[in-house]
Structure formats: C-alpha cells, structure tokens
Amino acid sequence: MNNKVYIHEFIDITKQNRARYMQHMTANWSPIAQEQRGQLCYGVWGVVGSTGRWPQVVNLWEEDGLDGLAESFSLELGSPTLQDPALAKWWAAAADLRSGGFDRLLVPHPETGTIEALCESGAGATTYAHEIVRVDPGGAMELCDAAVAATEQVHERIGWQLIGAWRTAMSADDECVLLWAIPGWPQWSAGEQVLLDTPNLLYPASAAQIRHRHRILLIDAPLAPLRTGRQPHRDDRTDWED
C-alpha cells in the first residue's frame, strides 16, 4: 500500500540550461528537501523534445502523505515572500535556469511502488513513456486500475513495465498520469508500432471514456534515483551558494 503523495512538475527551461537545472534540482535541492522536509526525489527527467514541449524538465517529488505535504507547505509559505528565506540563494540560482512551469498533486494507485521500493528492485530504464490521460469526471481510478491490471500483458507484448500510476488530486477526478519503463530504444519503437494499431493496449479493461491522452518520452538526469539506485546526497552538491 502506497500512502505517499507526489508533486509533479513540468518546468520550462531557459536557453541551454537543462543539464544545469537537472543538476541543481538533484544535487542542490534534493538533499535539503530530504533533511528539512522528508521529501524524496522520485525522478528528474529531460523531456525528449521530439515528443513534447522543449526545452522542458519533469520533476516528481515523493511526500509523506498529505500531512507531510502540509508541513512542507507550512515551512515554505510562512514568509511574506512565500519562499523559505533560508533558501533565497537557491531560489535565485534556480530562477536563472527556468522561466516557469505547471505543477499538479498526484495520488498513487495502491500498487504503485515508492521510490525506495523501485530502487531496490532495479526499476530504472533507458527511457520512460510518460502519459497523461484525461477521462470523464470520476473515471480516473478506473483507468488506473485497468493500467495496473494490464501490466503483465503489456510487458509480455511490448516489453514495457508500468512503474507508476497516479490520479490528479484537487481536480474532477478526471486525469491519470502513467509512467512506463522501457529497457531500450528497440523496445520503444516496436511498442509504439503496436500502439499505433491498438492504442488501448496499455489499459484495455477500462470502460472510462477517454477524452484526451498524450505520451512523451523522458530521460533520467544523471543523479536521478532510478538511474543511480539511491537518493542524491550532499556529496553531489555543486557551488550554487558562491
């Protein structure tokens, strides 16, 4: 049973700063978040530009439930600036690397593994298919259930492994985020060829009315846990405070 909640972020990157931003988030932010907030880095990825918006990064943070997230909000938003004053230099450094973004809160399917469990099982991959699926209001859990139920069949058919299924909180219960680990580029191309003809293969049992879906590809940042098998730590930090 996964009782965590997740902060999902699409981050728009300025100029050629994607690698610097991913390093800043993993090496410079994540160790602080672990120590001060109990927040774990689930993933930091670069978006494959041919499949989505560019230059863009996806961040996913694992919080200790809604109570843990509320504590993080209290710490972050207790200042008139709506930013933790102790992190002013960190915010300033990050601001030079990004122009904005869009966040959502995600609730995991009970069978979605935590990041610690995924690292222990070696769930990392060459690339990841990240899919946002919008359904009729109230249908999000049904679609997540269908995706989880189809995991074994999908893996046998095209070699993809579902490692994350979430529904978006604070909405009409009409949106799911799915994350598929793909072991190599041949498995991606072969899988996409199959999905051209059978687009509902990833969640065949769902009767939820699909309104929209969009699948993009992601690549792990060098210090992302699914790549390294561990959380970033202070030894990874760079000189952002100078």
Side-chain angles (χ1 to χ4, degrees), residues 46-69:
V47 174
V48 176
S50 297
T51 67
R53 185 176 177 85
W54 55 270
Q56 195 171 66
V57 167
V58 173
N59 299 327
L60 193 58
W61 309 103
E62 186 176 274
E63 299 277 354
D64 192 14
L66 287 171
D67 289 343
L69 181 57

Side-chain angles (χ1 to χ4, degrees), residues 103-235:
D103 290 9
R104 47 172 55 82
L105 299 180
L106 300 180
V107 178
H109 188 277
E111 295 189 32
T112 287
T114 65
I115 188 56
E116 290 180 335
L118 291 172
C119 287
E120 289 176 3
S121 66
T126 296
T127 188
Y128 304 83
H130 171 290
E131 188 165 32
I132 293 179
V133 185
R134 295 188 178 91
V135 296
D136 282 342
M141 191 62 181
E142 180 183 319
L143 190 131
C144 285
D145 283 340
V148 170
T151 297
E152 185 174 345
Q153 175 186 342
V154 171
H155 187 260
E156 290 177 355
R157 181 84 180 272
I158 62 176
W160 297 15
Q161 184 69 44
L162 182 68
I163 62 172
W166 301 267
R167 54 196 177 107
T168 301
M170 301 179 71
S171 69
D173 199 30
D174 60 351
E175 184 179 76
C176 302
V177 177
L178 305 174
L179 188 67
W180 302 85
I182 304 174
W185 291 110
Q187 289 84 359
W188 169 73
S189 61
E192 288 293 345
Q193 187 62 50
V194 171
L195 292 171
L196 287 174
D197 299 322
T198 54
N200 288 344
L201 173 67
L202 302 182
Y203 23 83
S206 177
Q209 182 64 40
I210 295 174
R211 291 172 171 253
H212 179 77
R213 58 184 163 208
H214 184 207
R215 189 164 53 252
I216 61 175
L217 293 176
L218 307 177
I219 303 294
D220 277 317
L223 292 175
L226 288 172
R227 180 186 290 267
T228 65
R230 63 168 176 84
Q231 287 291 306
H233 49 63
R234 284 192 173 271
D235 291 344

Side-chain angles (χ1 to χ4, degrees), residues 72-84:
S72 291
F73 283 166
S74 177
L75 179 63
E76 183 65 41
L77 303 173
S79 166
T81 63
L82 303 185
Q83 294 178 349
D84 182 354

